[in-house]
Amino acid sequence: MMKTTRKSKREKEKKINFFEEFIKLQKHFFKDINRRLKSVKDPRHKSYIEYGPDVILFYVLMKNACGINSMSNMTEQFNKDECIENVANILGCELEELPHHDTINNFLCALRPEEIEKIRDYMIKELFKKRSLENYRLLDEYWCVAVDATGLFNFPERHCEHCLKREYKNKETGEIEKTVYYHNVLEAKLVVGDMVFSIGTEFIENEDENVSKQDCEINAFKRLAANLKRKYPRLPICILGDSLYACESVFEICSSNNWKYLFRFKEGRIKSVAKEFNTIKELEKTGNEQCTFINGIVYNQRTVNLIEAEIEEDTDNKKTYTFITNVKITKRNADEIVSFGRSRWKIENEGFNNQKTKRYNIEHANSLNYNAMKNHYLITQLADILRQLYEKGVEKIRDLKKSIKEISSSLLESFRTCLLTKVEDILNTQKRIQIRFI
Ligand SMILES: [Zn+2]
């Protein structure tokens, strides 16, 4: 980069108040969010309340938005007069001190996770109202919701009654050599362009220590699907998932909910369908240069459609992808279907890897209490919606071409050192800010 361009980038950056931009963005999309943080059902006894739920939740939200990965680091970073005054100004309350991290965790130990989910649902519903995301529907109709599970925490000893348990046995003697206790989560993410927003969360967990069969991803999907249908009864949805989801129970859920699905397909998952697809494919080729598809393959009481595409991963590396769907495939929509099918990887990449390694370190247990862990995880999902909109929608920020981590540190620096001026103006202005996705 030329010296002068570097200098002009620095100059540009100096003019930006990163925290103010963050608050403006929050106001633009979710003007009611602070009131909602305040009105969660507070589980604490009234006489002990020193900090309102909005103060606590706002701090934890900012902890995540600034990429701080532990509670003690949060206390260290946020313990600044400017920071405390910023929070007091934004929430319109008196605040002399930052809440102690024990106060925060005690609150999160008792708060019902549904209370945070309600705020997430509010945010997602507000996003649907914005026309700026309309372009990202599949075939101009379906909102794509990618589902996938990931591991959150591992423990060498039982951590709580809901832990999943895996035993590693010695191959020769069959003796148990090692037992691991762990927690996984199933996420449903709304895929909009390069962004993935949490729209449903289901913790994969056993009811108690003595279950005969452990909870699993497909079971969690059943619960997740029921919640999604209850919350968004008329939303046209297409579920995206890996080959695990290509099975009768999931097809049935999708068709009874009136949803479309689009899953990776692997031969071993449903052999009869794979066989028929391969036979017909030999006889009559339908598709275009890049792909072959066949509609109406009979499976149990239904028919399924398959599409196979060769995709150039990079020069001289082609990979064949097969998808199974209940969307009718035509020559015109074939490419779009394949590209949406492939966008499922975003939940792994944008969704989980970034949340683990770049943005918030979701594998770090901020508390050992299972309920608090869930709440921390869910607050991270709220922060993640805000962060992605911030990185991709605010032109000033996007133009800087900074990495995720650099944005985290600029936001943190600004939150703890620059006093927000004219907070009233920011919060009450009717002037819309410019948000554009490219
Ligand atoms: Zn546990």
Side-chain angles (χ1 to χ4, degrees), residues 365-400:
N366 286 289
S367 162
L368 282 177
N369 173 282
Y370 185 39
N371 192 68
M373 276 181 187
K374 287 179 168 178
N375 283 326
H376 275 289
Y377 177 85
L378 289 164
I379 296 170
T380 306
Q381 304 312 311
L382 307 187
D384 195 38
I385 297 174
L386 292 166
R387 265 301 296 262
Q388 291 181 75
L389 292 167
Y390 183 65
E391 286 163 31
K392 294 181 172 138
V394 182
E395 216 167 324
K396 281 187 200 167
I397 307 292
R398 190 176 56 221
D399 284 355
L400 293 173

Side-chain angles (χ1 to χ4, degrees), residues 27 76 158 195 244 264 297 348 395 421 424 434:
K27 162 77 177 32
E76 201 180 306
R158 177 170 286 285
M195 297 175 284
L244 174 80
R264 268 298 286 283
I297 296 174
E348 276 171 39
E395 216 167 324
T421 48
E424 290 285 299
Q434 195 63 40

Side-chain angles (χ1 to χ4, degrees), residues 155 159-163 183 370:
F155 305 95
H159 145 268
C160 72
E161 58 175 343
H162 305 292
C163 284
H183 283 279
Y370 185 39

Side-chain angles (χ1 to χ4, degrees), residues 21-190:
E21 292 303 321
F22 188 76
I23 294 301
K24 278 189 197 161
L25 170 115
Q26 188 177 300
K27 162 77 177 32
H28 171 82
F29 281 100
F30 316 110
K31 53 179 182 299
D32 201 28
I33 193 170
N34 292 341
R35 194 189 62 81
R36 283 171 191 260
L37 294 177
K38 193 174 182 165
S39 53
V40 295
K41 206 162 170 239
D42 198 330
R44 297 169 296 178
H45 193 284
K46 281 207 173 59
S47 54
Y48 299 119
I49 296 177
E50 195 182 347
Y51 298 96
D54 51 341
V55 174
I56 295 179
L57 292 172
F58 189 85
Y59 268 116
V60 185
L61 203 60
M62 285 311 294
K63 163 191 177 281
N64 282 287
C66 297
I68 296 172
N69 56 22
S70 75
M71 293 300 282
S72 57
N73 195 13
M74 178 190 117
T75 309
E76 201 180 306
Q77 299 286 353
F78 289 174
N79 194 16
K80 299 263 290 178
D81 289 339
E82 289 84 351
C83 196
I84 294 166
E85 201 174 325
N86 275 335
V87 176
N89 280 337
I90 296 285
L91 300 176
C93 62
E94 297 279 318
L95 208 56
E96 267 158 34
E97 276 297 331
L98 162 79
H100 192 273
H101 67 250
D102 285 340
T103 310
I104 298 178
N105 270 338
N106 288 341
F107 173 73
L108 294 177
C109 285
L111 181 73
R112 290 174 69 238
E114 289 81 355
E115 294 295 312
I116 313 269
E117 284 184 330
K118 273 192 228 158
I119 299 172
R120 190 256 320 271
D121 299 341
Y122 153 75
M123 292 170 79
I124 293 293
K125 284 180 178 167
E126 288 299 301
L127 285 175
F128 280 130
K129 288 186 199 160
K130 301 273 170 205
R131 303 198 51 99
S132 48
L133 302 177
E134 285 292 313
N135 296 339
Y136 301 109
R137 296 194 198 204
L138 168 68
L139 307 175
D140 292 328
E141 188 172 358
Y142 304 104
W143 292 102
C144 284
V145 172
V147 288
D148 200 11
T150 194
L152 287 179
F153 316 109
N154 282 304
F155 305 95
E157 272 151 25
R158 177 170 286 285
H159 145 268
C160 72
E161 58 175 343
H162 305 292
C163 284
L164 300 173
K165 175 173 147 184
R166 187 177 294 137
E167 290 172 335
Y168 295 89
K169 286 182 183 156
N170 183 304
K171 277 186 190 125
E172 279 153 28
T173 63
E175 269 175 61
I176 298 166
E177 283 185 330
K178 194 170 102 173
T179 309
V180 176
Y181 296 89
Y182 60 104
H183 283 279
N184 286 2
V185 65
L186 174 67
E187 264 291 317
K189 296 241 149 104
L190 182 71

